[in-house]
Amino acid sequence: PSNAKLIEPEQLISMQEASSITANTYTGKTTTNNAAVGQKLCGYDNVKNGLFQIGLIQKAFIPSSCGLQEPKEHYDFAKQNFSNTEIVPELGDEAFYCPSPRALHIMYLGYYINIMIVKEDKFISGDWEPNEAKVIYITAGKKVCNKLKEIVK
């Protein structure tokens, strides 16, 4: 697939979709670029400290000054730097889940996607159970992969 098309992370999952997957109601959106590594970030948040953040590294956005020139190199670097990873075989071309710090990393169609979610009011009403959190992450990951496939094809 061609990576010429520059994709914004919010194209892969809307605020409403993120809210329905996590059962958190997001009200704010922040987008940032970590241009040094070619990453675009989008975060949905709310007043209860809930957060759904999606990061996207794509070839078309990686600057020539970056030491890692391919999204796959960034994915492999992340994979090597987390010791407690779990492979998620049914997701993307390759994916791994990190229970701590909690995150989902996906390599799909030449794009490196990472998802990080913080449950709203977790200090008041408690966090998700580990298995519950993993299901939420994988559900989000599948949604994002399906959307990426539609955009890229």
Side-chain angles (χ1 to χ4, degrees):
S2 164
N3 273 341
K5 188 185 289 190
L6 203 55
I7 297 171
E8 298 299 329
E10 60 268 35
Q11 288 176 256
L12 301 179
I13 191 158
S14 70
M15 187 184 295
Q16 292 73 21
E17 290 166 333
S19 292
S20 91
I21 289 168
T22 61
N24 289 195
T25 304
Y26 302 109
T27 52
K29 179 175 105 170
T30 310
T31 56
T32 51
N33 291 335
N34 184 352
V37 295
Q39 184 182 48
K40 290 179 166 286
L41 287 165
C42 175
Y44 303 126
D45 56 37
N46 63 30
V47 294
K48 299 176 178 181
N49 297 310
L51 176 67
F52 185 106
Q53 181 178 279
I54 178 167
L56 182 64
I57 293 182
Q58 52 199 309
K59 179 76 175 158
F61 195 61
I62 297 174
S64 58
S65 58
C66 183
L68 304 174
Q69 280 297 298
E70 295 295 328
K72 178 80 166 90
E73 293 176 280
H74 290 268
Y75 172 88
D76 290 341
F77 182 80
K79 194 173 174 184
Q80 288 158 11
N81 281 283
F82 290 108
S83 56
N84 57 342
T85 61
E86 302 171 21
I87 300 301
V88 184
E90 70 271 19
L91 205 51
D93 294 324
E94 196 178 323
F96 69 92
Y97 175 72
C98 243
S100 178
R102 222 160 42 196
L104 179 64
H105 301 260
I106 306 165
M107 193 65 219
Y108 191 46
L109 302 173
Y111 293 81
Y112 169 31
I113 302 156
N114 66 302
I115 297 171
M116 197 271 299
I117 308 169
V118 177
K119 182 178 181 279
E120 64 185 32
D121 280 343
K122 77 173 187 178
F123 296 111
I124 298 166
S125 56
D127 204 349
W128 290 304
E129 292 300 318
N131 285 346
E132 187 185 11
K134 188 175 176 182
V135 167
I136 290 167
Y137 272 86
I138 291 170
T139 303
K142 286 178 179 173
K143 173 68 100 181
V144 164
C145 285
N146 288 339
K147 194 68 177 210
L148 179 61
K149 191 175 176 182
E150 282 176 27
I151 294 169
V152 173
K153 71 173 181 188

